Amino acid sequence: MKQLAGILLVNLGSPASTSPTDVRKYLNEFLMDERVIDIPWLARRAIVSAFILPRRPKQSAAAYQAIWKPNGSPLVQISRQLRDQLQLRTEFPVELAMRYGQPTIAQGLKQLRTRGAQCVRLMALYPHYAMSSYETVVIKVKAELKRMDWQVPLEVLPPFYNQPEYIDALVSAAQPYLEQDYDQILFSYHGIPERHLYKSDPTANHCLKADKCCETPSEAHTYCYRHQVFETTRLFAEKAGIPKDKYQVTFQSRLGRTPWLKPYTDIVLEELPGQGIKKILVICPSFVADCLETLEEIAIRAKESFLLAGGEELVAIPCMNTHPDWIKVLAEWVHQDQAFVSAEPGERALSMASGTL
């Protein structure tokens, strides 16, 4: 008899409210994750407590206030709607959790256990692999299962950055915006420190070291965020029929002074009007649900900067959110055994799939 799979959807998370106190609590949990600020605990604690938490919560609270809905965080509400829509399409129990904030991963697993799940299928809602997003979710789920002493098989959905059905859904959701007049489309991905690429490279000699590293085939690409976002962009452009001179890739949301992936979205937006590019679209495929980084950083702040620099129009393309084609894709994956891989061996989330670690 086939085991009853419990589906756990996991997204980034959000503060409980827009109060500086709640934002501080959220930021502390997020930034103290060793896969987000990947330095020894004592140094991380000192940086977060002395340099970030004294000022950042108030600034971030104002940003959250600009996008907050009457029923709470847009990211959490959209994710709940996604869960509910997916539940309508499967007999498997479906629960939602956030890596940081509420509802917690522990709560989501407890609900699946109560609902009779005999194995857990984890769907981290990140298209691309990064130690600060996808990897930390897988590791956290494994840790919570161990803490609960719930000995059930854990299967994970690998990053889906290049899956045809995901690309189709991404293009379908964006299509109404692609039909309007624009000079260029910016693919703005969440940035990560360059050192994260080095740490995730199983060859230790490819990412940002080999010539045209993202274009040269390598086992490193299984874990390479930069390669994967370039692939998503290329496949999207091919599917949508966008010529190469009509788009570019940039990276947003950097933190600190160490080198992050370039070019930076905010810098590029300031330069584009001087190049005669006055009408742009911005899409953020790092995210499947709209959040602070899309609704405030891009649709509000980035738009203001672009217009001040001489731009005429910036249109932020919404994430897939609860687009019917995206929900259909998730429902199909839920029922495909081959869409998941076992998370039992090894510490690296995909080691079992590639056999490289």
Side-chain angles (χ1 to χ4, degrees):
M1 184 176 177
K2 192 171 182 179
Q3 292 181 320
L4 177 66
I7 310 302
L8 185 66
L9 303 176
V10 181
N11 214 325
L12 176 67
S14 174
S17 76
T18 61
S19 74
T21 299
D22 281 338
V23 173
R24 178 188 174 89
K25 181 179 179 180
Y26 172 78
L27 288 177
N28 182 66
E29 182 184 6
F30 172 54
L31 297 173
M32 285 304 295
D33 184 340
E34 64 181 355
R35 285 176 169 79
V36 174
I37 299 183
D38 52 321
I39 59 177
W41 185 91
L42 191 59
R44 184 166 68 252
R45 181 73 275 169
I47 290 174
V48 172
S49 295
F51 298 101
I52 300 178
L53 292 183
R55 292 181 294 273
R56 189 67 176 258
K58 187 176 181 180
Q59 298 170 353
S60 294
Y64 277 109
Q65 289 165 10
I67 65 164
W68 212 253
K69 302 296 184 181
N71 55 356
S73 159
L75 173 65
V76 175
Q77 295 305 315
I78 292 168
S79 298
R80 284 175 175 161
Q81 293 167 12
L82 186 70
R83 174 203 59 196
D84 294 345
Q85 289 293 317
L86 182 58
Q87 185 65 85
L88 293 174
R89 290 162 174 79
T90 181
E91 295 181 356
F92 296 151
V94 181
E95 293 294 339
L96 172 69
M98 297 292 156
R99 176 59 183 88
Y100 316 103
Q102 302 286 330
T104 67
I105 286 174
Q107 290 168 342
L109 290 173
K110 182 179 179 181
Q111 287 296 322
L112 290 179
R113 190 176 196 174
T114 299
R115 296 176 68 182
Q118 297 169 302
C119 71
V120 174
R121 285 188 169 175
L122 170 61
M123 305 181 82
L125 297 175
Y126 300 105
H128 314 92
Y129 192 101
M131 59 185 287
S132 56
S133 56
Y134 182 92
E135 184 174 297
T136 188
V137 166
V138 177
I139 299 305
K140 180 66 172 177
V141 170
K142 293 174 72 172
E144 289 295 342
L145 285 171
K146 183 177 180 180
R147 187 187 63 80
M148 295 168 59
D149 193 28
W150 190 23
Q151 299 177 15
V152 292
L154 173 63
E155 301 173 347
V156 299
L157 178 73
F160 43 87
Y161 66 97
N162 61 350
Q163 293 301 306
E165 53 269 40
Y166 158 68
I167 298 297
D168 289 348
L170 192 62
V171 172
S172 178
Q175 192 60 49
Y177 299 88
L178 300 176
E179 293 173 356
Q180 65 186 63
D181 180 50
Y182 65 92
D183 298 327
Q184 192 174 93
I185 177 171
L186 225 61
F187 289 80
S188 181
Y189 293 90
H190 197 288
I192 63 172
E194 290 182 357
R195 67 177 182 274
H196 284 198
L197 293 187
Y198 301 139
K199 288 187 174 184
S200 296
D201 181 357
T203 72
N205 196 39
H206 184 81
C207 292
L208 299 182
K209 295 180 180 179
D211 185 42
K212 295 183 178 180
C213 57
C214 286
E215 300 173 26
T216 305
S218 171
E219 60 188 278
H221 292 170
T222 302
Y223 311 102
C224 182
Y225 180 78
R226 186 170 181 264
H227 163 77
Q228 293 180 10
V229 303
F230 285 158
E231 275 297 285
T232 295
T233 305
R234 181 183 67 81
L235 293 169
F236 182 104
E238 288 180 357
K239 178 70 178 180
I242 304 173
K244 290 184 177 181
D245 62 351
K246 195 92 169 178
Y247 69 89
Q248 64 174 304
V249 171
T250 62
F251 298 92
Q252 64 183 87
S253 311
R254 63 190 183 278
L255 175 68
R257 299 179 181 179
T258 58
W260 283 49
L261 294 182
K262 298 180 181 67
Y264 299 139
T265 299
D266 55 343
I267 302 300
V268 170
L269 286 174
E270 292 175 359
E271 297 172 344
L272 287 179
Q275 301 168 9
I277 299 172
K278 302 294 185 72
K279 295 182 178 181
I280 66 169
L281 305 178
V282 183
I283 187 170
C284 302
S286 298
F287 310 98
V288 299
D290 278 309
C291 54
L292 185 72
E293 287 80 1
T294 64
L295 298 172
E296 194 275 336
E297 184 177 358
I298 295 299
I300 298 178
R301 279 193 289 131
K303 181 177 181 178
E304 291 176 354
S305 296
F306 181 69
L307 296 179
L308 284 174
E312 296 176 2
E313 184 177 40
L314 183 153
V315 176
I317 299 177
C319 295
M320 292 185 292
N321 294 326
T322 56
H323 191 280
D325 289 350
W326 172 227
I327 296 171
K328 180 182 177 182
V329 169
L330 288 176
E332 290 174 351
W333 285 343
V334 160
H335 296 100
Q336 294 175 1
D337 293 344
Q338 67 272 22
F340 295 83
V341 294
S342 171
E344 292 306 315
E347 188 73 3
R348 180 59 58 78
L350 294 183
S351 59
M352 74 302 293
S354 66
T356 58
L357 294 180

